[in-house]
């Protein structure tokens, strides 16, 4: 059982809404992934140990993979997949399905929200994660949609919210 006070969930845009699409070598995508990793390290330092990933393509995958990488450095990190319905991955490309399966295998737990797809199952998944978390990390560009709705729901529930912009992040410094 994950304790809410040390649990963080995530929301963000899917691949189709990201300006670089599937090109994860794009500079803005690389900067976003680095920012997610940096924020995760900071929230780990602040005491967060449990993380929910909604398993959608795009920013969710970046987040889940970054949490799995964080766990390599910090074995006390726990990652739970919150799957809206069985077969969610079948809506992805072949490469997306393989990535989804790899990430799901790296999760400590998998919770399936609905036994089959329903119109509201994605938002139900988001509420499941928010209701069990104290912190929401969001990759958000201001557009209408599920990410905005999840941010509003989290704010109404009193969660701390860290927003990362989709673009405009600073260049990584050469150390």
């Amino acid at each position: 059982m994950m304790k809410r006070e040390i649990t963080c969930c995530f929301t963000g845009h899917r691949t189709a809404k990201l300006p670089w699409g599937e090109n994860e070598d794009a500079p803005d995508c690389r900067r976003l992934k680095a920012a997610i990793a940096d924020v995760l390290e900071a929230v780990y330092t602040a005491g967060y140990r449990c993380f929910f990933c909604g398993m959608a393509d795009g920013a969710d995958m970046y987040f889940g993979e970054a949490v799995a990488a964080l766990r390599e450095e910090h074995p006390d990190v726990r990652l739970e997949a919150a799957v809206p319905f069985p077969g969610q991955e079948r809506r992805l490309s072949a490469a997306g399905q393989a990535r989804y399966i790899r990430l799901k295998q790296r999760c400590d737990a998998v919770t399936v929200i609905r036994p089959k797809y329903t119109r509201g199952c994605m938002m139900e998944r988001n509420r499941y994660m928010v209701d069990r978390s104290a912190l929401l990390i969001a990759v958000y560009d201001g557009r209408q949609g599920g990410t905005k709705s999840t941010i509003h729901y989290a704010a109404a529930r009193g969660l701390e919210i860290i927003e990362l912009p989709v673009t405009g992040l600073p260049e990584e410094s050469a150390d």
Side-chain angles (χ1 to χ4, degrees), residues 59-107:
D60 275 17
M61 287 286 128
Y62 307 162
F63 176 78
E65 290 166 349
V67 172
L70 181 71
R71 186 175 49 211
E72 291 173 12
E73 298 294 318
H74 305 287
D76 57 338
V77 165
R78 182 172 161 77
L79 177 60
E80 179 176 330
V83 176
F85 62 96
Q88 173 188 19
E89 74 280 5
R90 288 193 294 261
R91 296 177 173 212
L92 303 174
S93 66
Q97 288 180 35
R99 185 179 196 174
Y100 179 101
I101 291 165
R102 280 192 309 273
L103 179 57
K104 191 173 168 187
Q105 290 170 341
R106 295 176 79 184
C107 291

